[in-house]
Amino acid sequence: MLVRVIALLTLGLLSFGVHADTLKLAAAPFETYITGDGEPARVNRVINAAFEKMGQPVELQIMREAFLGSSVRAGRVAGEFAYIDLGEKQQNLLLSKPYLPLYLYATSKKGSVKNITLVPHLKDMRIAIENKFANTPTFRLLKDVKWSRNPTAYDAYKQLADDRAPLLITSRLLIEEFNLLLDSVNQELLHYSAAPLVTTGFQLALNANTPNAQVIIDKFDTTTSTMQKDGSYNELLGIHWLMKDVNQDGVADYIGNSRITKQSAPLTGAFPLDSTLPGDESVFIIDNQTYNNFAAAQAKLHDTPARESLLDPEVYDTMLKRW
């Protein structure tokens, strides 16, 4: 009888993720990261790929920020797939480790923005920002900053384009996508602060009442960690080089993918996935194979054509012409 019970339990554990019910997750829109209309969406791609590897069916819903928290609390969805911790209280949530960092920089047309390294340096300045950030405790409690609030990334960039706000706070990856648009029309690129003013990250947040919630979280952490190291993230994010301490020696290593990483892509543009810094002991990982020096890694790469911006050039066309 005991053997039979153990066998049934084992079968049940093996079946999890293969015949599991579809997990409904939601998030608010975030241009180039999260969309529901077929536009480029890096976070959507990472989440779909991770859950496919986990063998867990998932349905992603996009909804307004105002409805997101209540939908999770009421159980209408199992959780948020792009939770960002900006000082708000967690209520009955189980959180994954951050699976994608979010670095918020100050950006400007003027090179002097490079002198900004801390939030207090923004005192008395007029700064464009999206509501998704401005409405959080991290930014709402900064009383000496003149926020110019905007519902979308487009509106925030328009503040900058029209010189109504000399600075914009947004994500590093979004700045780089806008710079690709500027470069395509031979306009001067945006400058940004010497360091991120706020560092946080995207997390999977499940209602604690969700069946197998902790099992799902643990499996998600393991899966995304593997994806960060094997080159999957490079392709999903459209980024040449990523940095992470892969071999746990305290030094960041460089991660590439021969399908996306250009041979001529500079290491100085590598996007960090953790807080470690590169050094003499850094190794280079291409397609999950480790190389001890940059030259050996470069030999596995090609100069692939440059990709276009994830931002729609037609949407931003008028703004670019007036830049």
Side-chain angles (χ1 to χ4, degrees):
M1 181 65 179
L2 180 59
V3 173
R4 176 180 170 80
V5 170
I6 293 174
L8 288 172
L9 286 172
T10 303
L11 180 61
L13 289 173
L14 290 174
S15 297
F16 169 72
V18 178
H19 304 291
D21 292 335
T22 298
L23 193 69
K24 294 182 179 180
L25 302 172
F30 188 165
E31 192 160 18
T32 74
Y33 286 93
I34 303 157
T35 70
D37 54 10
E39 293 296 317
R42 284 165 155 151
V43 168
N44 293 53
R45 294 181 68 185
V46 168
I47 292 293
N48 279 318
F51 276 92
E52 183 177 354
K53 290 179 181 292
M54 291 163 58
Q56 168 65 57
V58 66
E59 176 188 317
L60 305 185
Q61 300 178 10
I62 310 301
M63 61 179 65
R64 290 171 56 187
E65 193 84 43
F67 302 132
L68 187 56
S70 59
S71 294
V72 174
R73 289 191 296 272
R76 290 188 288 273
V77 294
E80 295 184 42
F81 67 85
Y83 178 87
I84 301 171
D85 183 2
L86 286 171
E88 293 166 304
K89 293 181 180 179
Q90 303 170 18
Q91 295 184 343
N92 200 35
L93 293 178
L94 295 178
L95 298 176
S96 74
K97 297 175 183 177
Y99 61 86
L100 179 63
L102 178 62
Y103 303 108
L104 299 179
Y105 283 78
T107 186
S108 174
K109 295 179 182 180
K110 299 179 180 179
S112 57
V113 71
K114 296 177 182 178
N115 297 324
I116 295 174
T117 57
L118 299 170
V119 171
H121 294 167
L122 305 176
K123 184 178 180 180
D124 297 328
M125 294 185 181
R126 183 172 180 80
I127 302 171
I129 191 171
E130 286 186 66
N131 289 336
K132 66 165 55 70
F133 303 130
N135 293 335
T136 64
T138 294
F139 290 97
R140 193 171 59 242
L141 297 176
L142 299 176
K143 302 299 184 182
D144 295 327
V145 178
K146 300 173 184 176
W147 297 118
S148 179
R149 299 165 181 258
N150 298 272
T152 68
Y154 177 88
D155 295 307
Y157 272 103
K158 196 169 189 308
Q159 293 268 330
L160 201 62
D162 295 344
D163 296 321
R164 286 180 285 161
L167 293 175
L168 163 67
I169 284 186
T170 189
S171 78
R172 169 178 159 176
L173 292 183
L174 195 51
I175 297 168
E176 291 174 354
E177 294 307 313
F178 195 82
N179 274 344
L180 284 176
L181 284 185
L182 291 172
D183 188 54
S184 71
V185 293
N186 297 315
Q187 292 282 10
E188 184 178 352
L189 304 185
L190 285 173
H191 306 277
Y192 48 92
S193 50
L197 303 184
V198 174
T199 297
T200 180
F202 295 96
Q203 295 171 269
L204 174 63
L206 295 183
N207 186 313
N209 297 323
T210 301
N212 297 308
Q214 191 60 58
V215 175
I216 295 171
I217 291 287
D218 292 344
K219 196 168 185 180
F220 178 80
D221 284 340
T222 300
T223 302
T224 50
S225 179
T226 299
M227 291 168 61
Q228 290 175 346
K229 301 171 187 176
D230 67 12
S232 299
Y233 260 44
N234 297 75
E235 198 161 15
L236 293 166
L237 300 175
I239 297 177
H240 296 293
W241 289 106
L242 300 170
M243 287 193 304
K244 182 179 180 178
D245 180 8
V246 173
N247 51 19
Q248 304 300 308
D249 63 354
V251 177
D253 303 302
Y254 293 97
I255 306 163
N257 181 314
S258 61
R259 290 186 294 276
I260 186 72
T261 307
K262 293 179 66 172
Q263 191 174 58
S264 58
L267 294 177
T268 52
F271 183 78
L273 294 174
D274 63 17
S275 60
T276 57
L277 298 175
D280 293 339
E281 301 303 315
S282 296
V283 298
F284 301 83
I285 302 165
I286 307 296
D287 301 339
N288 217 19
Q289 296 295 312
T290 300
Y291 303 90
N292 290 325
N293 60 75
F294 186 37
Q298 275 187 311
K300 301 298 178 180
L301 303 175
H302 312 280
D303 260 340
T304 56
R307 68 167 177 83
E308 297 180 347
S309 173
L310 298 179
L311 294 168
D312 190 334
E314 294 185 9
V315 171
Y316 285 83
D317 181 63
T318 302
M319 189 187 302
L320 295 173
K321 287 178 178 175
R322 296 177 179 174
W323 194 258

